[in-house]
Amino acid sequence: MVPSPSTATSPTDVPRNEPRGLRRAHPGALGEADGAVPDGTTVFDDEIPGVGNLDPALLGALRQAATDAAYDGVEFFVDSGWRSPEYQEQLLQKAILKYGSEAEAARWVATPNTSAHVSGEAVDIGRSDAAAWLSEHGAEYGLCQIYSNEPWHYELRPEAIDHGCPPPYADATHDPRTQD
Ligand SMILES: [Zn+2]
């Protein structure tokens, strides 16, 4: 589904804890309205567009799981959720610089046209204890790890509740959705 722009965006909607490197490298860095999330954002912070623009079914499953994980002393943080196409493109360009080639970057960051983050259907969960909790229990909520190289990246696969999660792709280049 296509997420609608949040109408609850506050006028003080400026990046608070954006990584310093991003801001230096890109003076016109994109902020919260494009999907950047401040440190400490949880799956319950739907006033933050990166969370509020997620697919409602994915967000509902995440909140159920987070509520249950809290009984185990584990808190879910959102490192990244919904992203605008512009923000996705910025992340892709950064990845190309970091990894040295488009081919290598494609293993980690999808294009704006193919990213499940842009469609609001993917979330990167932190911290490592939360990712580990989801690795063990996520299928019960339809929450599945999609890529072997990204233990933090989760998407909704409702059929997993009955049948378990499908085997993950080695990385995004093996995902048919990224072949554009
Ligand atoms: Zn991701």
Side-chain angles (χ1 to χ4, degrees), residues 80 83 117 122-124 150 152-154:
S80 192
R83 301 168 186 157
H117 283 281
V123 65
D124 296 340
E150 296 186 23
W152 52 83
H153 177 106
Y154 274 80

Side-chain angles (χ1 to χ4, degrees), residues 8-164:
T9 309
S10 78
T12 54
D13 190 23
V14 293
R16 278 176 275 167
N17 291 306
E18 203 166 308
R20 211 167 271 185
L22 186 68
R23 192 176 301 173
R24 258 205 315 264
H26 300 272
L30 300 165
E32 276 182 37
D34 284 283
V37 294
D39 281 349
T41 297
T42 77
V43 297
F44 298 100
D45 291 332
D46 52 7
E47 74 279 8
I48 294 170
V51 175
N53 287 341
L54 286 171
D55 169 48
L58 170 62
L59 195 51
L62 284 167
R63 287 173 175 177
Q64 262 191 324
T67 301
D68 292 347
Y71 289 107
D72 294 335
V74 174
E75 189 172 6
F76 284 19
F77 294 96
V78 175
D79 289 339
S80 192
W82 167 83
R83 301 168 186 157
S84 73
E86 293 76 16
Y87 186 41
Q88 184 71 30
E89 180 64 28
Q90 188 179 73
L91 294 178
L92 179 59
Q93 294 305 322
K94 279 167 53 80
I96 292 169
L97 288 177
K98 175 177 176 184
Y99 294 108
S101 72
E102 284 185 39
E104 183 61 18
R107 296 183 57 224
W108 301 95
V109 181
T111 68
N113 286 335
T114 61
S115 173
H117 283 281
V118 172
S119 60
E121 295 170 317
V123 65
D124 296 340
I125 288 292
R127 307 185 168 105
S128 55
D129 60 337
W133 194 96
L134 272 177
S135 175
E136 190 174 348
H137 302 288
E140 298 164 34
Y141 306 87
L143 295 168
C144 294
Q145 180 185 340
I146 304 301
Y147 305 120
S148 293
N149 67 331
E150 296 186 23
W152 52 83
H153 177 106
Y154 274 80
E155 299 183 26
L156 190 65
R157 296 288 182 271
E159 65 276 13
I161 295 169
D162 291 324
H163 303 291

